[in-house]
Amino acid sequence: MDYLEDLLSEQIPTSEETEKLGEISSAIIREINDICRANNINASCTEVGSVSKNTNLKSSDIDIFITFDKAYPVDYIEKKGLEIGHRVLKNGTEKYAEHPYVSGYVKGIKVDIVPAFKINNGEKIVSTVDRTPLHTLYVNSNTNEAMIHDIRLLKVFMKRINVYGSEIARSGFSGYLCELLIIHFKNFDRLMKHMANLRGKLIVPEDAEDKFAEPVIIIDPVDPSRNAGAAVSEENLSRLKLASKIYISGRLDILNHTPSVNRERGTHIRVFVIKKPDIIDDIIYPQAVRLKNRIWDILHNNGFMPVASEIYMGNDIEILIECKLEKLPGTKVHMGPPVESNESIRFIDMWNGNPRLMRGPYILKNRVYVDVRTEQRDMEGIIRKELRNSDIGKNLNEFRDEIKIINGEDADLEVVRKFFSKYLFN
């Protein structure tokens, strides 16, 4: 526990940072409320997110929501939200989630100004962000000082085991989930004991109906029809289970273990590098996964025998795939139809006399086979040919022909470091 408390002490905001955040937030809220009053806009401003709940760690952002009356149409709140955001954040830039919003910096602190609709408990939402102010109210109404400490401790623990963050590339536990877990289990130790002994899904509350397909089911108290844990992957749930066992056993030294790395694997590693468009990661990452899966399928279908993969997104998208073969043999076995099939004679006629035929036709068990000459044997040529007409995502398609293919065994690339540093919680 001292180890985690030491980590937490390094990440709790100082009193100076807390005061600065409060001053910036209050000033922005006053300015936005003044703008709304002066322009007869039926809207109010509120702070949401971890800073508003005092559950934040160091270097947190400020999230300000402008909540508009539900009588306004969506296009009105989007337009006014951007206008007000730009007026308050002079050098702000527009970003896009469900609604466009303005993001910028005030005195070195990142600030997001987001439009939403004002709803009360039990009312139907117009957009998913409408729940967020209610989340803030719920957490503030159901936590005390000890629970806030344990929420921060849980965030530090989840960061240490690499399961913190709900963005698609992470598929982990959001700050709100950390808050809900401590509220439900009352403290950090009780949560750890539950997780260390958990079999199967994590369901909160435990008597909730198992009506969702996801491995983590945490019913949102603000909207009981919603699974707040839907983004968490089975792999990250498994990491939390194992880390909880490690915590309960007192073996936190395992978290700091540095595994040895042997790069002499007897395999062939290739890295496929493609330009990353200037679009938020939650949109691009699924397309990167799609590209990885397409390359994997090409390699598998052509006999290169892929065995492992990794993705890294920085300035570019880097996709690593490890294969057993880097060049195909000159001959490959081609399976024909069962001998009982009416297509068997046609298959024999098709291959008899074919210049690519190396052996056969012959019968193996109940099928006809031929051995044929491999037309293209090198990995790069096959990948480029088959990707040419592949749809790899609307934002990546234009860069499809610019993919660089790099021998990855000794390449100085982040995806290679990520691949070889793979350990329980990396």
Side-chain angles (χ1 to χ4, degrees):
M1 187 67 166
D2 288 343
Y3 167 71
L4 288 180
E5 288 290 353
D6 289 344
L7 286 181
L8 177 60
S9 67
E10 296 171 2
Q11 298 192 47
I12 289 181
T14 64
S15 57
E16 291 79 11
E17 181 180 354
T18 300
E19 184 177 352
K20 181 180 180 180
L21 290 168
E23 289 173 354
I24 293 171
S25 176
S26 296
I28 291 173
I29 289 172
R30 281 196 302 271
E31 184 176 358
I32 292 176
N33 284 335
D34 288 346
I35 292 170
C36 290
R37 279 193 295 270
N39 292 275
N40 294 315
I41 299 171
N42 189 359
S44 60
C45 195
T46 185
E47 183 180 10
V48 299
S50 62
V51 174
S52 68
K53 294 172 275 190
N54 201 33
T55 61
N56 59 304
L57 301 177
K58 278 185 177 178
S59 304
S60 291
D61 305 335
I62 293 174
D63 299 305
I64 303 293
F65 271 40
I66 309 171
T67 55
F68 292 81
D69 189 275
K70 286 175 68 175
Y72 290 122
V74 172
D75 58 354
Y76 175 86
I77 77 156
E78 290 181 348
K79 178 184 176 184
K80 289 299 177 185
L82 290 176
E83 286 179 4
I84 295 169
H86 282 300
R87 186 167 167 183
V88 173
L89 300 176
K90 307 302 182 187
N91 298 310
T93 57
E94 292 180 16
K95 295 191 175 181
Y96 297 87
E98 187 164 0
H99 294 305
Y101 64 98
V102 177
S103 182
Y105 287 84
V106 177
K107 297 180 180 177
I109 303 296
K110 184 172 176 286
V111 178
D112 290 337
I113 297 179
V114 182
F117 286 103
K118 185 183 298 181
I119 63 168
N120 297 314
N121 273 314
E123 289 185 344
K124 185 177 179 181
I125 63 169
V126 180
S127 63
T128 55
V129 295
D130 300 342
R131 301 187 190 94
T132 307
L134 298 181
H135 290 164
T136 301
L137 287 173
Y138 178 84
V139 172
N140 284 336
S141 300
N142 287 277
T143 52
N144 54 37
E145 190 172 335
M147 294 167 80
I148 286 172
H149 168 275
D150 280 12
I151 289 168
R152 284 174 161 158
L153 190 66
L154 179 58
K155 288 183 178 183
V156 167
F157 185 64
M158 287 194 171
K159 281 189 171 188
R160 181 63 190 82
I161 65 172
N162 206 26
V163 301
Y164 185 72
S166 60
E167 59 272 18
I168 290 176
R170 176 76 63 193
S171 298
F173 292 80
S174 67
Y176 182 51
L177 288 186
C178 291
E179 293 157 355
L180 291 182
L181 287 170
I182 294 300
I183 288 171
H184 178 75
F185 288 100
K186 306 305 180 187
N187 61 53
F188 181 82
D189 280 349
R190 285 184 61 183
L191 170 62
M192 290 294 100
K193 289 172 184 174
H194 179 81
M195 294 305 306
N197 294 291
L198 181 65
R199 301 290 183 271
K201 292 185 176 185
L202 170 59
I203 302 177
V204 175
E206 290 88 340
D207 59 356
E209 184 182 354
D210 183 2
K211 62 179 180 179
F212 297 96
E214 296 87 6
V216 173
I217 300 173
I218 300 179
I219 303 302
D220 189 343
V222 166
D223 181 357
S225 68
R226 172 179 179 253
N227 176 16
V232 183
S233 69
E234 184 176 15
E235 187 174 280
N236 281 329
L237 172 60
S238 296
R239 285 194 176 105
L240 181 57
K241 288 177 179 177
L242 180 57
S244 300
K245 289 181 185 295
I246 290 170
Y247 173 82
I248 294 297
S249 70
R251 289 294 314 282
L252 290 177
D253 59 293
I254 294 175
L255 299 182
N256 288 327
H257 176 70
T258 303
S260 58
V261 174
N262 187 343
R263 296 198 176 203
E264 297 177 4
R265 298 167 67 87
T267 57
H268 306 278
I269 293 174
R270 293 294 181 272
V271 178
F272 303 84
V273 181
I274 188 170
K275 180 180 172 63
K276 178 177 171 289
D278 187 19
I279 299 172
I280 62 172
D281 285 358
D282 277 4
I283 292 175
I284 290 300
Y285 188 77
Q287 296 179 49
V289 172
R290 182 175 181 172
L291 173 58
K292 186 266 291 182
N293 291 341
R294 179 67 185 121
I295 295 172
W296 180 285
D297 288 344
I298 292 170
L299 293 169
H300 172 74
N301 294 339
N302 282 278
F304 289 98
M305 303 172 69
V307 293
S309 66
E310 191 61 81
I311 295 178
Y312 174 81
M313 292 208 317
N315 294 328
D316 292 317
I317 297 167
E318 300 172 2
I319 296 170
L320 179 152
I321 298 186
E322 180 184 30
C323 295
K324 289 186 178 180
L325 298 177
E326 67 172 340
K327 193 169 186 175
L328 297 177
T331 302
K332 68 177 179 180
V333 176
H334 180 58
M335 183 178 70
V339 295
E340 299 169 350
S341 167
N342 293 332
E343 294 295 313
S344 57
I345 299 297
R346 192 174 74 84
F347 180 82
I348 294 167
D349 288 340
M350 180 177 69
W351 283 105
N352 273 335
N354 190 305
R356 287 184 59 208
L357 181 67
M358 303 290 286
R359 185 170 74 117
Y362 57 90
I363 295 172
L364 186 62
K365 293 188 177 179
N366 71 331
R367 285 184 174 271
V368 185
Y369 288 81
V370 290
D371 296 349
V372 300
R373 180 181 290 109
T374 307
E375 288 186 296
Q376 191 161 21
R377 299 174 61 188
D378 70 291
M379 183 186 296
E380 180 170 340
I382 291 171
I383 290 291
R384 292 197 185 282
K385 179 182 176 182
E386 297 208 25
L387 279 182
R388 200 167 295 138
N389 298 313
S390 296
D391 180 5
I392 60 174
K394 67 177 183 178
N395 301 111
L396 294 184
N397 280 335
E398 63 179 297
F399 307 113
R400 185 173 43 207
D401 296 334
E402 302 171 19
I403 293 176
K404 290 184 271 187
I405 303 178
I406 300 168
N407 189 322
E409 273 86 351
D410 299 307
D412 185 25
L413 294 169
E414 288 299 327
V415 74
V416 176
R417 283 187 279 274
K418 183 179 178 183
F419 178 79
F420 280 107
S421 66
K422 198 91 171 170
Y423 184 63
L424 296 171
F425 305 113
N426 288 346

